[in-house]
Each structure stands twice: as C-alpha cells, then as structure tokens.
Amino acid sequence: MRALAVTPIHLPPEEIRRRQARYDRLAPPGLSVELRDVGPAAPGALDDEASIRASEHEVAAALARAGDGWDLAFPDCVLDPAVPTLPAPDQGVPVNGLLRLSSLYLSAMNVRFGAVVRNEAIGAELRRRLTAYGLDARTAGIEVLDLPFDAVADAGAWNAALGAAAGALAAAGATAVINGCSAVDVAEHRFAARIVDPTALALRLMAIGRSA
C-alpha cells in the first residue's frame, strides 16, 4: 500500500529527510509513505490564523495535483488541513487525517483524551477540528506548550515541556493526551497521562483499514 503525505508548511530539504525517516520507521509492514513538500507558496510555520488558512489552501492544491498511483493520502499535520469532515465514498484517492483517525479511535475506545499544542493558534484550530468531528464531550482540554517552531525537530525540548501540560490534562480527567504535532518523537509512557503519537496511531489504523 502506497500513501502520499503532504507537509502543511514549506520545509527545507533536511527537515523533509528527517520527517521521511520518521515515516519509514513508524510505517507498519505493508505500508509505504512518501512525504512531499507542499511547495514554496505555503507558509514556513503555523503561527496565526492567516498561516493556518494559507496552509489549508496549499495542502488542498497539492493533494489535488498528486496524480494516480496512491492508495491513500494525508496531510503531514495534526490539524488535518484540507481533510473533509465526512469523506465522500466516491472520491478518488481517499484523504485521511491524522487527528481524525487518532481522535475517533480514542473516542471509540471510550478514552477521555486531551491534547497539547505548540501555540495558541494551533490550539484554536485543533479545537475547531475536534468540534467538527463531534468530539467535544470526549475532550478533557487542550494545553498550549508555548514553544518555538524549532522545537518540532528537538524531541528533548518538546518532551521537557510535556510534563506540566500532561499533568494538568490528567487532573482534568484525561487518561490519554494527543501530541499536537505530527513530527515529534514523544516519550509516551513517562507522564501523568499516556501521550499518544497521532502519526504512529494513524498509520497503524490506515494499514488495518486497507486490509480489513
């Protein structure tokens, strides 16, 4: 099974290589993921509403021009830019969402979950997405880590910021916390609540879904 992933922002080649290596490591047997940069018209970071909307537009365009030969496609982003809330059954290449798959799975398993995000703008968009998926009642809250974009490629810095946020969400009733970035390696069992890597979980679900 071949899957196309499209970055939500324009990234330098070294970051594309880092993220591709992460997909190579996380993809279950039988699933191959190819990561492509969205293109230079996209923003370089998601720091406000305008950049999030621009990302959504560029991701939609990149997915539209992806061509044939893919079993599925998805944005390399937990905000699910350009992912339809209810995918049409007759669409061409199915477009999946990392947040949609991981959050709906947790809800189906009766898990009350929270999420952590890098900044306020991402938090607002993630909340909007969870509301669109009908998951407000399953969500214990969203904590903002207030980290710079460089922390996405710095697992140590990101994990160091997770402790207090995971503790706050656990106190609010979360037993799991979705890590609100698709490209960070997290210490899943080190905190007060289980940290869920949405990319790893979604890839497993994609593989199961295609073989079911």
Side-chain angles (χ1 to χ4, degrees):
M1 179 170 57
R2 297 184 68 232
L4 171 66
V6 175
T7 66
I9 57 177
H10 182 43
L11 292 171
E14 60 270 21
E15 179 62 7
I16 295 290
R17 287 192 293 269
R18 186 190 74 83
R19 294 186 183 208
Q20 180 64 66
R22 178 170 149 77
Y23 277 116
D24 294 343
R25 186 172 71 252
L26 293 177
L31 174 62
S32 173
V33 178
E34 180 179 325
L35 178 65
R36 291 184 181 176
D37 185 68
V38 65
L46 302 179
D47 288 329
D48 52 31
E49 171 75 11
S51 62
I52 288 171
R53 298 281 76 82
S55 168
E56 190 171 48
H57 179 271
E58 295 302 322
V59 169
L63 290 171
R65 62 176 181 263
D68 298 327
W70 306 102
D71 296 294
L72 56 91
F74 61 93
D76 172 47
C77 181
V78 179
L79 297 182
D80 290 356
V83 174
T85 302
L86 294 172
D90 58 347
Q91 71 183 61
V93 177
V95 176
N96 291 305
L98 300 180
L99 178 64
R100 185 174 188 273
L101 287 170
S102 57
S103 62
L104 288 174
Y105 172 82
L106 292 174
S107 178
M109 298 300 291
N110 293 314
V111 174
R112 185 162 173 79
F113 62 88
V116 295
V117 294
R118 186 173 65 82
N119 62 29
E120 293 282 356
I122 293 172
E125 181 68 5
L126 191 139
R127 168 61 74 184
R128 187 188 72 81
R129 270 293 180 174
L130 290 174
T131 297
Y133 296 149
L135 296 177
D136 282 342
R138 302 301 306 171
T139 307
I142 297 173
E143 289 287 315
V144 177
L145 300 179
D146 194 24
L147 290 171
F149 175 71
D150 290 349
V152 171
D154 186 345
W158 191 282
N159 280 276
L162 274 177
L169 290 167
T175 57
V177 174
I178 294 175
N179 190 57
C181 182
S182 65
V184 177
D185 290 315
V186 291
E188 298 185 18
H189 302 287
R190 176 179 133 189
F191 303 102
R194 177 170 60 96
I195 307 299
V196 175
D197 182 336
T199 303
L201 176 55
L203 291 177
R204 292 196 298 270
L205 294 171
M206 289 178 202
I208 292 170
R210 292 294 296 186
S211 61

